[in-house]
Structure formats: C-alpha cells, structure tokens
C-alpha cells in the first residue's frame, strides 16, 4: 500500500469516526430524555402550566368556570385598598410565623442535643420525636381538636386537676391561635431535630478536645463551638421553616376553619376560601403571586444576610 493511500484512508477515517461519535451521543441523549420524560411531562403539566395559568388569571375576573374577563391590575388594587381581611390574614400569618419558628427550632435544638448523647434507648426517642412530623396532618388536627375541647377535652381536664380553670381554646379569639401554634410546634420539632442532630454528629472533635484542655465548661463549648458551627444548619432551617409557616393550611382547616371571627384565618386559608368558596379564582391568583413575592424577598434577604452570622468550616 502506497503512502498516498494510507494518508487518504486516515483523512476519511477521521470524519467517519466523528460522525459515529455524534450518532452515539444523539442516541444516548435520546435514551436519557426517554427515561426522564415522565418527570418532565409531570413538571410541565402540574407546575409550569399552572404557574402560567395563575399569572393570566391574576389579571382577570374569573370564577374558574365561565370565560375570564380581563381587568388588569384591578385585583391587586382591591387587595391593598378594599380588602381588610387581606391585611388581617397577613398579620395572622406573620404572628404564626414569628411565634412558631423560634419555638420549633429552639426545642428541636434541645432535643438534638439530648438525642446526640450515647445513651441506651436513644433511637426510640429519636423515632418518637420525629414521628409526628410524618403523621397525617388531618389526623393530628382532629385529635388535637378534641384535646382542646373546653368542657371534656384532655387539656382542660389536666388543668382542672391542678386547680386551673382552662380557657375556651379554639372557641376563644385570644387562645385559638396559640393553640394552633402549640400543635404546629409539637408536630414540627422532629424536622429541625433531625437536621441539627446530623449537624452535631458531623462536627469535628478536635475543637472540643482543645476546648477541654483549655478548661472550657460545657456551656462555653456549646456557646462558642457548637452553636457557631451549626449556623449553616440554622440558616437552612430558617429558610425552610419560614416558607412552610407562611403556607400553613392543614391544621387551620381541620381545627378552626379560620375562626373564631377570623382570629386564625391565615393567608393560604384566605386564598383557599376566595378560590373555592367564593368563586374568585382571579382574585385568589393575585393573592398567590403576592405571597410568592413576599416569600422570595424574605428568602433572598436571609440568603444575603448569612455573611454576617453564618460560619462555614
């Protein structure tokens, strides 16, 4: 075989090889898209498409059945100018959020510190504390609804044994929201406990050994080592707990239906009522987008402020 023939074979082999590689890559990409296509279809159908519909619906007067009527920004103007219930439900949601988040994370931290100890039977307590978090919220709401009954409820029965006349709880505009917050904290402490417990188990032991050699007490080690090293976990919990608290619905719907006198009517419950009870789907969509803006803004602010208090090792 002559040198010219060998050179020609090499020149033709290069494009052929590249074409084969491109065909193989296209086949691999097609196979990958076929595998993820059910997820893609689900996300498009049940997330992206409803988002686009809600954007359009927020600009219309629509009851979800008849043809929508375009009203522009009229729904947003009504929310801020002509709807006192919008302001009240927003305040109730802020109240619920500011009360439940510190209690949930604080008690979760205490339980995580206790469950991090190498004691016998600690696995049982970890499971017991986490179980309410994965329990059906409707079942929890019904059980605690009966616990808070003013006459024959378990809570007031225990208070009567101590000589204390219990309040009306869910029938009182002053006590209904604290009662819901108590149940929410009881149900939700398992999640921050697990997150913080995982963080505690991953902390480097060298810091604690050095602190012990320097004579640091247990309280000092907690304050100056454990808590600073857990700040990334606290940031994660603050973001996730804020989002879930601003979207609380199940406990409110089961235990109080927003009463008495809208004392426990939170923002999501107000959206639900406007959309499905009053047939104001366009109005509810506008409320939903305001909620999205609030959550996005607060989450962005939390993320930007992490430089001031979050310590990464």
């Amino acid at each position: 075989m002559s040198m010219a023939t060998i050179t020609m074979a090499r020149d033709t082999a290069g494009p052929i090889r590249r074409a084969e590689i491109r065909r193989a890559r296209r086949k691999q990409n097609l196979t990958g898209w076929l595998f993820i296509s059910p997820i893609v279809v689900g996300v498009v159908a049940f997330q992206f498409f409803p988002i686009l519909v809600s954007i359009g619906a927020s600009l219309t007067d629509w009851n979800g059945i008849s043809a929508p009527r375009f009203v522009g920004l009229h729904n947003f103007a009504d929310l801020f100018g002509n709807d006192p219930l919008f302001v009240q439900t927003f305040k109730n949601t802020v109240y619920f959020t500011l009360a439940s988040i510190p209690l949930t994370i604080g008690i979760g931290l205490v339980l995580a510190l206790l469950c991090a100890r190498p004691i016998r039977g600690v696995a049982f307590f970890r499971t017991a504390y986490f179980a309410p978090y994965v329990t059906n919220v409707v079942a929890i709401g019904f059980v605690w609804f009966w616990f808070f009954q003013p006459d024959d409820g378990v809570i007031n029965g225990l208070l009567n044994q101590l000589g204390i006349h219990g309040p009306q709880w869910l029938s009182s505009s002053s006590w209904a929201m604290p009662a819901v917050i108590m149940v929410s904290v009881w149900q939700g402490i398992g999640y921050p406990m697990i997150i913080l417990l995982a963080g505690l188990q991953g902390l480097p032991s060298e810091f604690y050994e050095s602190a012990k050699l320097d004579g640091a007490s247990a309280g000092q080690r907690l304050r100056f080592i454990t808590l600073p090293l857990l700040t990334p976990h606290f940031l994660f919990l603050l973001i996730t707990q804020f989002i879930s608290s601003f979207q609380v619905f199940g406990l409110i719907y089961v235990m109080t239906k927003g009463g008495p006198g809208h004392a426990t009517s939170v923002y999501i419950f107000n959206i639900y009522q406007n959309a499905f009870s009053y047939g104001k789907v366009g109005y509810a969509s506008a409320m939903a987008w305001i909620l999205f803006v609030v959550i996005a803004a607060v989450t962005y602010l939390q993320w930007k402020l992490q430089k001031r208090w979050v310590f990464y090792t």
Side-chain angles (χ1 to χ4, degrees), residues 162-225:
L162 299 174
I164 302 174
H165 181 69
Q168 295 296 308
W169 293 115
L170 301 179
S171 301
S172 169
S173 58
S174 300
W175 284 98
M177 183 62 83
V180 174
I181 292 172
M182 289 169 55
V183 179
S184 176
V185 171
W186 173 83
Q187 182 196 13
I189 55 176
Y191 181 73
M193 182 202 71
I194 290 296
I195 298 297
L196 295 174
L197 181 60
L200 288 171
Q201 293 175 341
L203 296 182
S205 59
E206 295 82 2
F207 295 148
Y208 294 94
E209 294 172 357
S210 300
K212 288 180 180 180
L213 292 175
D214 291 337
S217 64
Q220 290 173 328
R221 294 195 298 270
L222 174 64
R223 178 182 176 183
F224 296 108
I225 298 178

Side-chain angles (χ1 to χ4, degrees), residues 134-305:
V134 294
T135 304
N136 185 276
V137 67
V138 176
I140 289 176
F142 272 118
V143 170
W144 281 95
F145 173 80
W146 292 110
F147 280 3
F148 280 116
Q149 290 300 299
D151 298 325
D152 54 357
V154 175
I155 305 297
N156 279 358
L158 294 175
L159 293 176
N160 290 334
Q161 294 295 325
L162 299 174
I164 302 174
H165 181 69
Q168 295 296 308
W169 293 115
L170 301 179
S171 301
S172 169
S173 58
S174 300
W175 284 98
M177 183 62 83
V180 174
I181 292 172
M182 289 169 55
V183 179
S184 176
V185 171
W186 173 83
Q187 182 196 13
I189 55 176
Y191 181 73
M193 182 202 71
I194 290 296
I195 298 297
L196 295 174
L197 181 60
L200 288 171
Q201 293 175 341
L203 296 182
S205 59
E206 295 82 2
F207 295 148
Y208 294 94
E209 294 172 357
S210 300
K212 288 180 180 180
L213 292 175
D214 291 337
S217 64
Q220 290 173 328
R221 294 195 298 270
L222 174 64
R223 178 182 176 183
F224 296 108
I225 298 178
T226 303
L227 294 182
L229 292 179
L230 286 178
T231 49
H233 301 78
F234 287 130
L235 173 65
F236 172 78
L237 289 173
L238 283 174
I239 293 175
T240 55
Q241 293 294 308
F242 172 79
I243 294 173
S244 62
S245 295
F246 246 73
Q247 295 178 341
V248 61
F249 174 78
L251 289 177
I252 299 294
Y253 182 81
V254 175
M255 295 180 64
T256 65
K257 294 291 192 298
H262 301 294
T264 60
S265 182
V266 291
Y267 198 88
I268 288 291
F269 187 77
N270 193 14
I271 293 177
Y272 165 81
Q273 284 189 311
N274 277 287
F276 299 105
S277 298
Y278 310 145
K280 300 167 65 176
V281 177
Y283 196 72
S285 299
M287 292 184 64
W289 276 101
I290 292 176
L291 177 63
F292 168 77
V293 171
V294 171
I295 291 178
V298 175
T299 302
Y300 176 78
L301 182 63
Q302 290 175 318
W303 188 258
K304 295 297 290 185
L305 292 178

Side-chain angles (χ1 to χ4, degrees), residues 36-46:
I36 67 172
S37 59
I39 302 297
V40 173
V41 171
V43 169
V44 172
F46 298 107

Side-chain angles (χ1 to χ4, degrees), residues 69-130:
R69 181 173 62 89
F70 181 78
V71 295
L73 299 178
H74 182 73
N75 289 328
F76 296 92
D78 278 351
L79 282 172
F80 290 102
N82 302 318
D83 190 354
L85 188 58
F86 166 78
V87 178
Q88 182 178 353
T89 56
F90 191 86
K91 289 181 178 179
N92 290 342
T93 307
V94 173
Y95 171 29
F96 177 89
T97 300
L98 295 180
S100 62
I101 290 180
L103 290 173
T104 304
I105 297 179
I107 299 176
L109 174 62
V110 173
L111 295 179
L113 292 171
L114 294 175
C115 290
R117 298 173 178 269
I119 59 176
R120 186 175 182 181
V122 69
F124 166 78
F125 291 102
R126 293 174 182 174
T127 304
Y129 294 141
F130 186 72

Side-chain angles (χ1 to χ4, degrees), residues 18-58:
R18 288 193 292 269
E20 292 176 351
I21 292 174
R22 285 194 294 268
R23 284 195 296 269
R25 287 178 177 174
R26 284 196 295 268
K27 184 177 180 180
Q28 290 178 347
N29 292 336
L30 178 60
T31 303
W33 278 106
L34 288 176
F35 274 110
I36 67 172
S37 59
I39 302 297
V40 173
V41 171
V43 169
V44 172
F46 298 107
Q47 291 189 15
F48 290 161
F49 180 70
I51 288 174
L52 295 176
V53 172
S54 69
I55 293 175
S58 67

